[in-house]
Every structure is written in C-alpha cells, then in structure tokens.
Amino acid sequence: TLEKLRFSILMLQKHASYMLSHLQMIVFGHHRWSLNGTLIDFRMDSRRLLSGGNLIIRNLDRNQDAGTYQCTAFNTQGAVLSRRASLKFAYLEFQTQMRSPVSVREGQGVVLLCGKPAYSGDLTFAWVFNEYTYFVQQDNRRFVSQETGNLYIAKVEPSDVGNYTCVVTNRVTREKVNSSPTPLVLRTDAMGEYEPKIEVHFPDTVPAAKGSIVTLECFALGNPVPQITWRRANGTPFPSKVKMKNSNVVLEIPSFQQEDAGGYDCLAENKMGKNVARGRLLFHAKPQWIQTMRDSALAINERLFWECKANGKPKPSYSWLKNGEVHIENGALSIAAVNLSDAGMYQCVAENKHGVIYFSAELVVLASPPDFSKNPLRALLKARAGSMVTMECKPQAYPQAISLWKKGNEPRQLCHLSNRLTLLPDGTLKISNVTKTDGGIFSCQAQNQFGTASTSGTLLVTTDPTKITLGPVDMEIIVGESIVLPCQITLDPALDVSFFWTFNGHVISKADKHYEHVGGPTSGDLMIRNIQLNHAGKYVCVVDTDVESLSTSAFLNVKGPPGPPDMVAVEEITDSTAQLSWTSGPNNGSPITSYIIQTKTPFTVGWQAVDTVPEVIDGNTLTATVVNLNAWVEYEFRVVARNAVGMGEPSPASLKTRTEDAVPDTAPANVGGGGGAKSELVITWESVPEELQNGDGFGYIIALRPLGEVTWTHAVTSTPGVSRFVYQNDSIPPFYPFSVKVGAYNTKGQGPFSPVTTVFSAEEEPSGVPGGVWARSVSASEIEVYWQCLVSTPERVLGYEVVYWEDDTKPETVGKVRVSGNQTTAYITGLKAYSQYFLTVSAFNTAGTGPLSPTINATSKKPPPEQAPLNVEWTLIGSKLIVHWDSVVAMEMESKVTGYQVRNRHKEVNSVTTIETTVEVVLPGSDDYVIQVWALSDGGPGTPTDPIGIHRLSKSCTQPFCLILP
C-alpha cells in the first residue's frame, strides 16, 4: 500500500510538471533563445521574432545584437540546448593623415607601413603605385604582407620612386579604404651590397586548427635580392599538398593535420650571407565524439550508467545537462536506482578552448503493473509425447513481475507437483519428457508492487509421431527436363502441418517460375520445370507441425552440354596450317567426348567447321592442327565441345592471326574475250578472289600469240581486281584468232596459267546495206518489216537491227528491234494505233552496226472496236451449247468488224471463229465451263464480254436468257 501511494504521488508530480510545460509551450512555443546567457523575452522585444524555432532579428544593431546565442528546444519529455553561435559585425574604419616622404638609397631595402585600421572581419591588403589602376606587382623583390599590410621592397631601384597608397578591403562587407599616399624618394648616394635581413617572419609559435589552411610569410631585405627557401626543422620533406607562392615568400599548408605540426625554418640567402627565421606550428582541434550514449527506457529502481568520450587538443572537459540545466560535471552519469523524477532529456557536453559539442539522449522511467495483452499464453499449445514443452510467462511489467504457475484447479504451485517441471527466473515453465497426462489448462499469475495479472492456455499432448513416408532421392537429369521431388508424410490428425523446400541452404521462393509446390494436405511435392544447370545441388523438404520439425534431402545432378572451352591460342601458323591449343571448359555433368574447331575470315559468312589433324579430336585432346587454310588470310579460331548431352557453347574467339604468304596456286577462270575497237584484242577472265591471292603484290600475267605461232607475247597488270585486258597493235587483222592464257603472281612468285583458249580480235562493222526493205501493218499495235539478206559483204554479220521512230523530225526518239542470224523479217509491237512510223534496217556484229537502209514508213491500223458484244444468250442441249449475241458496229476511228471469236475455258482453252453472230459448240465432259465473246478486226481483237459461267446441272440460267434441255 505504501508503494502504491508513493507511485501515485510521483505520477501527480509528473502530471503537474507536464501541465507546467504545456502552459509554457502555449505561451512561449517549443523553443527559447538566450543572448550572452540571458533569456530573450520576445513579448517585450519588438525587433526579435521567433518563427518555427528560428530567431529573426530585424534592424540589426552592433551594440545590442552582437554576442553569443543559444537555443533551447523543449517538449513534455524535457529540454535540450543547441550549440552556441556567435554573431559579430564586420566593419572597417581608417583614419587617414598626411604621410612624410620616405628617403632611401638605391640598393637599400625599405618597408612602407600601411597601418591597420579599426576593423572586424577578414582583411586583404594591396598597394597602388602612383595611379590607382596600377597595383604593385609582387615578385622576389617586392612583397605585400597579408599579416601586417606593409609593402616590403628588398632592394630599391630608380623605377621604384613615386607615391604608394595602401588599399585595405574587408572581405565580408566588400568595403575598401585607402591610406594617404607615401612618397618614396631616392637619395643621391648609393647603398652597397649587404647580407639578408628578415623583416617578415612568423611568430615563434603558431596555433593551427585541424583542417584549416595555414599560411606562413617570410621576406628579407638585402642586396643582392635574397632567395627564400623553406625546410622542416626535423628534416622531413614537405608533402605534395604544401604549396610555395610569391617566389617562395609564402608557405601554404592546406587541410592542416597533426603530422604537419612542428618546427619550420625560413632561410634567406644571397652572396653576402644568409639569415634564418624559426617558428613552431602547434596543432589544436575542437572536440569530436568517440563514444556517446543512447536513449534508454529503464524500469523504476534500475541502474543507469551513461558515459561519453571525445577527443580534441587540448583534452576536453565534460559536463552533463538535464533539461538544459547543469546536472553534474564529470565524464560519466550514474544513477543507482532511477525514479520517475529522473526522466527527461540529458546532454553530454565536451568542451575545450577551441569549441564545444553536445550529444543528447532521453531517459524514460517505466512504472506499471503486469500486462499480458501483448504476450499472452497460446490458447492451444500442441506437443509430442516425450518432448520438452516450454511455456513463457512474460507480461509487460515495470519493475519485473514475480510469476506463479498452476494447472487446472490444483491448489499448489506447479513446481512442487513433479520433478519434470522447471520454473526459470524469468517466469518460463519447462516440462521435460511430457506425457499424455500432462495435458490440461495452465495458468500463470504475475505480480509486482503496482498490481497483479494472469493468463492461461491449454496444452494438448499427441502420441502419434509424424513420419516421412516418401522422400526425394538422389538423381541425375538432363537440362530442359522437368521432375517432381516427392515429400509425403503421415501425422496425428490433431496436428497442423506446413511444407517448405530449401535449395543449397536457401528457401525456395514461390515466385520462382521454375518451382511449383504440388500435392495434397499431407504432401509437399516440389515440381521443377525446365531444369537448368544452376538447379543442381541439395534439395531439402522441411515438414513443420505444431510439435516438431522433420526434413529429408536429396542431391540433384543436372547434366547439360559442356561449357565453352577457354584460352584458345594459335601456337604456330604456316601458309596452310595452324597449330591450336585450348583449355577445357566445364563438362556440366557429362564427360566431353570430342571437340570441333571453327574458323571465320573476312570472306566467309559466319563460322565454319574446318579440317583438322587428327580428323576427330577426342575429349582428352587439347591441341590440334587446322589444315587446308588459304595463304595470307586473317583467321579467327574457336573451339566447340561436345558430350553425350549435346553440343556446347563455343569458346571466345582467338586473336586474329594471318597465315603466311605463298605463291598463287589458283589460275584465273573463264578466260575469253573478243570484240573491242579496230586493231584490238580484248581478253577477259574471272578475277581471283582475295582469299585465294596468297599474298601481297598480286597481279595477272597475260600471254597471247596468233593461232599457230610458237612465240608468246606477255603483258602484266598489277591490279588484283581487274578482269579485262586490251592488247592494241595496228598489225592485228580484223577477227583474227589468237591463243590466249592468263596466270597470276604475287611477291612470292608466279602461279599457274589457265588453259589455252582461242580469242578473236576485234572485227569491223558490216559494210553492206540491206536491200528490199518494206513494211506492212499487222494490227493497231504491230508492224511487220521485211528485207533481203546480205550475201557478198566481207565482214561477219551476226544479225539485223530495225530502228523505228514516230516523228520524222525527231529521229532520236527511236525504238530498236534486233534479230539474229539470217532472219529477214521482224515484228515491232507495242505501237500506237493508227499512227505513222519511220523505219530503217542495218546489219550488225560485235564491232557495231553497219550503214542504214533508206527510210520507209508504215501506218498502224485503226484500233479494234471498244464495245463488247451485247445480249449474249446461250442454250445447252445435252452437250451442245448454242451461243447468240448482237452484232458489234465499229465507230469511225475503229477498225471494221471482220468476225467474232468465242472462247471456252475448261481444262484447256478452245476458240471458235465465225463471221456470224451465233455459234454451236460441243462441250465434252460434265464439268463447268466459262465462255467469252469478242469482235475481231484488222486492228486486232476487241473488248471481250465478261466471263459467263455455265454449270452442266443448271435448271435455268439466262445471260440475259438461258435454256437448258435434256
């Protein structure tokens, strides 16, 4: 009762704290801001505004708004502080006054002082010489320090005389101010040479922050102008990131790290001596977390221990804040027994003189009576006889509750009923070697100082064990086939069962299209469709019931065509052979029985199998010689393996390799020729393909001689693709026979000649003119031409050519018809109807055409009637067909009708011609027929009627009238 009262008081205190925080959130929001440690009162400050946690300051004032700001964020759980932020105002104020001239001797060094103005923010310095647009250019003799702003001239020269103005720029405000000009005057006496005097050097110790850019300056006066060099005091060479600028006057170290700290020396030297400036860079870094805490939820009276650690240089100090207020000041936070008042937001603060960091975590203190709503006992727990049963009693309770177990209406606790029962400290009940009598209703009661709760469930003990009656067995299968792996069981009907399969230790997904679970309620068979090589491995069927888990497994060995061989290499190559080697690929479950070698060249379509030695390459052989290759051809090789399953994938192609060159072994084919101009012998042949040329420098040798003579005349052409040669000689008689042969050669030598063949020299055109030329019109589109054959012409005549044209004023619009041999007539077709044509005839041979005959003319006939016969009627009596139609009357510009033609089509076409308008036709057989009728004329046949179908079994049919009699 006392504990419950204390709990109620703590809850009231927490509720009051919550109400106060809620009231503060209504008045002030979820954030507060402070300036220099003083809380900003937004109700009394019109220039400062809080917007969504952000601080907005209007009409900034340097005197009122400069300082350190910090935000406090809070809610009902507590408060945390932000890191501090400083607000500074950049400005630049320069009081100018007249400056006295600086008098200096030639060769002397001089320093012109800028005088730093009052300022806030980063400054940059520059100097103007005489006019404003001319800035002093820095080199090894002149230097503008960005630390002091002064201008240093190591050795004054007459060109330096003039007015110098210092220009100061604030990088933040972009504001610029100028000093008064300083006149530099040259004295009449000169300055002698002297050793360097270092005027600009860095301090003895320079603090440098981690990751910053460190800049060291060093400049010396002297005559001659000193040379500046840098070195590490410990002799270590500078890393590549270090940069030297302005003639080595400035040393810049980007991203400063611990290893960059130490001593640095600046050495100024000329022929009169040297001087050294020394200093040390000190590394410092703001704190960085190396160990932090996490949000914690602890039951009341539990122990809390939080520790945070940070690195930094110098070593940081620590403090702890609770809800934004200082709580303790050391490196760890420890509470032996937490209570509700300890709940809140905590911050660990690590700080050194270079920075401060915060890390936040929440402490939640839990206090509640037992609650089984999230973790009750299972309503029905099934177990197999002889097994171990575990029942957990784990309510949600803070602090942890004490658990008591009972079975049914037993008055005593279970731990006293049997030595097979064990009660663990966390409330878990274990029953070993469970029996049928152990079944029943079990109850667990949990209690702590804040209350009591209970949960119950039924234990059902089964006696029939689950057995796998048919499981998978090891097997071999070919790629692409499908199988079913069985997994069938018997079990106690009271048990629920589920199946799943694993493959090589991974559960098979139901989304995989290769797998399908099949079978009834006591079967978990697995079907594998279209098996691939990657399906080989161990398959396990897992059977899960309410009381136990069983499994059975089998190995599936998948056989497939072999994988591609690898590392195909050409070991040696000649003009006709190549020695290959390769390594075998995976055999995919079936030994490799043989290999096939394939080649590809620029002249082949795809890959082709080639001849090898040995002719059959067995599966244990990894070398072979490819034979019958063409010389001087670039080859690619690949190897294909075969096993009992089939042909595998080919290997990657070898590097392209060219066979050696050789003398041509192929002669040009189809040597012939003839024709050409006068005194020419034209010789032709089929060019040798590039893949048979056997080497560079390929060409042809042409040999010729008059038929019957002994001595050959040779000619050479060096163009591989040429297939024609013209031999010219004025002594060559027309159409004279020559013996001709053609050979090939390349840089390796001369190849074989083709067989000798006879080729005639060019002949002359026929000189005779055909006589007796006349023509007649055959139809509206045809004219037949006649002439007499040439008999006594000395030239050869191969035939005759008829040239015709329509307009005598334009003979270039011609058509031509040729006939061969001694024919003396020709038909010209495709002419216009009722049109005059002009014609001439000439003889021709291979040299061309001879002289033309005198021009004649002929006129094509009028066109045939365009009107088809009308009113076609037919009567079928037995096999006799009688057809009648109306006569056709020709128009004025059409040829007169000379008769009619009736055509019937069955298996063959038959025609009947008549001058009447009726006709009788005997139709053989008993099939259907199609007839057409059209008019005939001198201009040709007219327009036919539409096809008329006649069926031998028709009862009545009219076109437009039809009569069918038996």
Side-chain angles (χ1 to χ4, degrees), residues 121 184 192 228 461 482 560 602 632 753 781 932 950:
L184 181 64
I228 304 296
V461 180
S482 300
W632 202 242
F753 275 95
S781 61
Q932 283 182 289
I950 299 176

Side-chain angles (χ1 to χ4, degrees), residues 875-881 921-923 925 952 963-966:
T875 302
L876 185 62
I877 303 175
S879 62
K880 183 168 63 175
L881 176 68
V921 179
V922 176
L923 301 180
R952 291 297 303 268
L963 178 62
I964 300 178
L965 299 176

Side-chain angles (χ1 to χ4, degrees), residues 288-308:
Q288 287 186 319
W289 292 118
I290 58 176
Q291 178 181 332
T292 58
M293 65 283 192
R294 294 186 296 178
D295 294 338
S296 297
L298 301 179
I300 192 169
N301 295 328
E302 285 189 334
R303 181 176 181 268
L304 170 69
F305 180 80
W306 273 341
E307 186 175 19
C308 58

Side-chain angles (χ1 to χ4, degrees), residues 359-485:
F359 194 87
S360 305
E362 181 183 5
L363 173 61
V364 177
V365 179
L366 305 172
S368 67
D371 180 9
F372 284 103
S373 60
K374 295 183 179 179
N375 193 24
L377 279 178
R378 289 173 57 180
L380 177 62
L381 177 62
K382 300 176 183 179
R384 181 171 55 84
S387 65
M388 168 78 76
V389 174
T390 300
M391 290 183 282
E392 294 183 341
C393 182
K394 292 185 177 180
Q396 180 176 296
Y398 304 100
Q400 182 175 340
I402 298 174
S403 300
L404 301 175
W405 284 88
K406 291 186 177 182
K407 179 184 177 185
N409 296 321
E410 295 285 345
R412 293 181 296 170
Q413 296 181 22
L414 282 179
C415 58
H416 302 298
L417 296 178
S418 172
N419 57 5
R420 293 186 294 107
L421 276 64
T422 304
L423 183 62
L424 302 181
D426 64 354
T428 298
L429 176 64
K430 288 191 174 182
I431 307 175
S432 61
N433 194 21
V434 67
T435 64
K436 191 75 172 180
T437 59
D438 291 325
I441 299 175
F442 287 78
S443 299
C444 174
Q445 186 180 60
Q447 179 179 0
N448 65 10
Q449 63 263 43
F450 300 118
T452 303
S454 63
T455 180
S456 61
T458 299
L459 173 62
L460 175 64
V461 180
T462 63
T463 57
D464 295 335
T466 303
K467 295 181 180 179
I468 297 177
T469 57
L470 180 61
V473 296
D474 298 346
M475 63 176 62
E476 292 183 348
I477 194 166
I478 303 300
V479 165
E481 296 181 349
S482 300
I483 60 167
V484 174
L485 300 180

Side-chain angles (χ1 to χ4, degrees), residues 748-762:
K748 295 291 286 186
Q750 180 179 322
F753 275 95
S754 66
V756 177
T757 186
T758 300
V759 177
F760 285 82
S761 63

Side-chain angles (χ1 to χ4, degrees), residues 494-714:
L495 296 178
D496 295 325
V497 65
S498 63
F499 299 86
F500 69 91
W501 285 81
T502 66
F503 170 55
N504 290 338
H506 300 282
V507 176
I508 295 176
S509 171
K510 293 182 179 179
D512 193 322
K513 63 181 180 180
H514 288 281
Y515 298 102
E516 182 182 355
H517 293 269
V518 297
T522 60
S523 175
D525 297 351
L526 177 68
M527 174 177 282
I528 311 176
R529 292 189 174 89
N530 189 22
I531 288 179
Q532 302 299 310
L533 291 172
N534 59 358
H535 292 142
K538 182 180 181 180
Y539 288 82
V540 179
C541 174
V542 181
V543 183
D544 279 334
T545 69
D546 302 299
V547 299
E548 60 188 332
S549 179
L550 297 86
S551 66
T552 179
S553 63
F555 282 90
L556 186 62
N557 182 26
V558 181
K559 292 184 177 182
D566 197 11
M567 300 179 65
V568 177
V570 180
E571 304 291 348
E572 183 180 353
I573 194 162
T574 68
D575 60 351
S576 62
T577 65
Q579 179 73 33
L580 300 187
S581 66
W582 61 90
T583 59
S584 61
N587 61 21
N588 293 335
S590 179
I592 296 174
T593 57
S594 63
Y595 291 99
I596 297 173
I597 297 179
Q598 298 175 335
T599 66
K600 185 172 71 171
T601 74
F603 314 106
T604 59
V605 179
W607 292 88
Q608 299 178 353
V610 290
D611 297 332
T612 61
V613 175
E615 184 176 355
V616 177
I617 307 170
D618 65 59
N620 297 320
T621 301
L622 299 177
T623 62
T625 300
V626 182
V627 297
N628 299 330
L629 300 178
N630 292 328
W632 202 242
V633 173
E634 192 172 63
Y635 282 90
E636 291 179 86
F637 300 92
R638 72 181 188 185
V639 182
V640 184
R642 180 193 292 274
N643 62 12
V645 179
M647 189 83 73
E649 292 292 324
S651 69
S654 69
L655 295 177
K656 293 181 180 179
T657 307
R658 185 182 291 274
T659 51
E660 295 179 349
D661 54 356
V663 174
D665 54 10
T666 301
N670 294 327
V671 176
K678 182 180 180 181
S679 301
E680 288 182 352
L681 175 64
V682 178
I683 303 170
T684 60
W685 61 90
E686 286 185 9
S687 58
V688 176
E690 183 178 350
E691 63 268 29
L692 300 178
Q693 294 175 3
N694 288 6
D696 281 336
F698 184 84
Y700 298 98
I701 302 173
I702 300 96
L704 57 97
R705 65 186 180 187
L707 187 65
E709 293 190 7
V710 177
T711 304
W712 292 93
T713 298
H714 293 86

Side-chain angles (χ1 to χ4, degrees), residues 12-27:
L12 287 172
Q13 289 175 341
K14 188 171 184 180
H15 181 70
S17 174
Y18 168 78
M19 293 301 294
L20 178 60
S21 298
H22 185 66
L23 181 61
Q24 288 176 334
M25 283 188 286
I26 294 174
V27 178

